[in-house]
Amino acid sequence: MAFARGLLLLSLVSLLAYTSNAQLSAMFYAGRCPNLQSIVRSVMSRAVAQDPRMGASILRLFFHDCFVNGCDGSVLLDDTATFQGEKNAGPNSGSLRGFEVIDSIKSQVEASCGGVVSCADILALAAKDGVNLLGGPNWTVLLGRRDARTASFSAANSNLPGPSSSFSSLVSAFGSKGLSIRDLTALSGAHTIGQARCTNFRTHIYNDANVNPSFSTTRQQTCPQTGGDSNMAPLDFQSPNRFDNGFYQNIMNRAGLLHSDQELFNNTAADAFVRVYSRNSAIFANDFVSGMIRMGNISPLTGTNGEIRVSCRKTN
């Protein structure tokens, strides 16, 4: 079932989200940077065409930004001699990518309307386009976030759920951000695109009981018990570069790549959502968009708080 069938419902969801959050607005840059969304779309189109995995990488950047002190662009800040940011925290080090794509978007946006658009908003728009360019839903991104002047290495180490997380840990992490089990299950569907390193799924495919033996055997061919930590495998082996509901079909067949993925279908409160999403891609698309909008509303800096960075990698 095509995602397009749910577009009307998605538009209604976006409108409802707009009316429920007065701080952010779909039209925030309409007068001051009318070319913003076309610039973001153009750069993302080229990036995804060159490397389809980039759609997943930018989406992951947005997740990791919002889960650490809100959607404020803090994940984009480079370390300096006197400042330790989030890029080298455990969940991010050596695995986050796509910073150069955000840099390219920011450079073009600055040339079009300097000092107007935040890196946090650019990241939110780029994440949406990454999903849509890989066949996923489209939605109206609410804008008006400002950029943080700092970042938190410690919060990045403690706030981000990891690949070995239990279901209760996932529920707690998402719940602390105001996200429900339904949001958790829908947003985890982001793992229908992208790849993971062997070091993040080795324990699952060798030691966990709730794994399809055929699936684990296949994955063990590229992820040995020792060595090969950086070897990659697709999170969704059926259609790794297509944003669809295959992720849920996989975990129902005990073919989730990560322990945390398979926890969503392991006799928990998420099981019912997994079953629905595996059958109905339009419902998944609707719930994913709702979750993305709610996640994008986590503690944004607005008004006179924060700043509009000239470079996403450093504060002004």
Side-chain angles (χ1 to χ4, degrees):
M1 190 179 301
F3 277 109
R5 297 181 186 178
L7 288 181
L8 176 59
L9 184 56
L10 299 182
S11 298
L12 292 174
V13 168
S14 298
L15 179 61
L16 288 172
Y18 167 73
T19 58
S20 67
N21 190 324
Q23 293 185 24
L24 302 179
S25 164
M27 303 299 292
F28 190 81
Y29 298 110
R32 295 181 297 154
C33 195
N35 296 326
L36 169 62
Q37 300 205 34
S38 63
I39 293 171
V40 176
R41 183 74 175 194
S42 176
V43 177
M44 284 299 298
S45 294
R46 289 195 300 272
V48 171
Q50 293 171 2
D51 177 9
R53 185 183 164 205
M54 192 55 69
S57 296
I58 298 297
L59 179 58
R60 186 165 182 256
L61 268 182
F62 185 56
F63 271 71
H64 283 225
D65 185 38
C66 292
F67 264 69
V68 180
N69 299 331
C71 309
D72 58 5
S74 58
V75 74
L76 303 173
L77 290 171
D78 285 341
D79 290 356
T80 69
T82 58
F83 167 77
Q84 186 177 36
E86 298 164 19
K87 286 184 177 179
N88 289 308
N92 297 336
S93 181
S95 65
L96 286 186
R97 61 196 295 270
F99 297 106
E100 71 285 352
V101 176
I102 301 301
D103 292 340
S104 179
I105 297 172
K106 179 61 170 174
S107 177
Q108 293 190 35
V109 169
E110 284 296 303
S112 179
C113 45
V116 172
V117 182
S118 68
C119 298
D121 277 345
I122 286 172
L123 183 54
L125 286 168
K128 180 266 296 182
D129 281 338
V131 168
N132 183 240
L133 287 163
L134 292 175
N138 201 4
W139 65 93
T140 300
V141 176
L142 304 182
L143 302 167
R145 302 168 189 81
R146 288 168 64 85
D147 297 321
R149 293 189 173 96
T150 188
S152 178
F153 178 84
S154 60
N157 276 320
S158 61
N159 291 5
L160 292 165
S164 61
S165 295
S166 65
F167 181 70
S168 60
S169 295
L170 292 170
V171 171
S172 177
F174 277 70
S176 70
K177 306 302 178 186
L179 299 171
S180 66
I181 292 176
R182 186 171 194 149
D183 294 324
L184 158 64
T185 313
L187 289 172
S188 294
H191 285 179
T192 189
I193 52 176
Q195 300 186 35
R197 295 180 296 167
C198 169
T199 188
N200 289 325
F201 62 86
R202 176 185 285 117
T203 300
H204 178 55
I205 62 172
Y206 282 99
N207 298 338
D208 285 353
N210 60 338
V211 185
N212 184 305
S214 175
F215 175 75
S216 63
T217 298
T218 299
R219 292 279 70 91
Q220 288 169 13
Q221 293 174 8
T222 54
C223 183
Q225 286 188 297
T226 57
D229 285 1
S230 296
N231 293 352
M232 307 295 292
L235 289 160
D236 173 4
F237 70 91
Q238 295 189 78
S239 50
N241 295 324
R242 179 77 182 173
F243 196 99
D244 55 24
N245 61 344
F247 168 80
Y248 300 102
Q249 296 164 11
N250 293 341
I251 61 176
M252 285 187 67
N253 290 320
R254 297 184 299 151
L257 185 64
L258 306 179
H259 175 87
S260 56
D261 289 344
Q262 198 57 57
E263 283 287 279
L264 298 176
F265 195 73
N266 197 29
N267 297 315
T268 69
D271 286 15
F273 296 119
V274 171
R275 290 190 180 95
V276 170
Y277 299 155
S278 73
R279 295 192 302 264
N280 193 315
S281 59
I283 293 177
F284 163 50
N286 175 62
D287 284 3
F288 180 81
V289 167
S290 297
M292 287 293 289
I293 292 171
R294 275 192 282 275
M295 186 175 72
N297 288 342
I298 297 174
S299 305
L301 297 173
T302 58
T304 58
N305 295 317
E307 64 181 11
I308 304 298
R309 289 185 216 141
V310 175
S311 166
C312 293
R313 292 177 179 267
K314 60 184 181 180
T315 60
N316 296 338

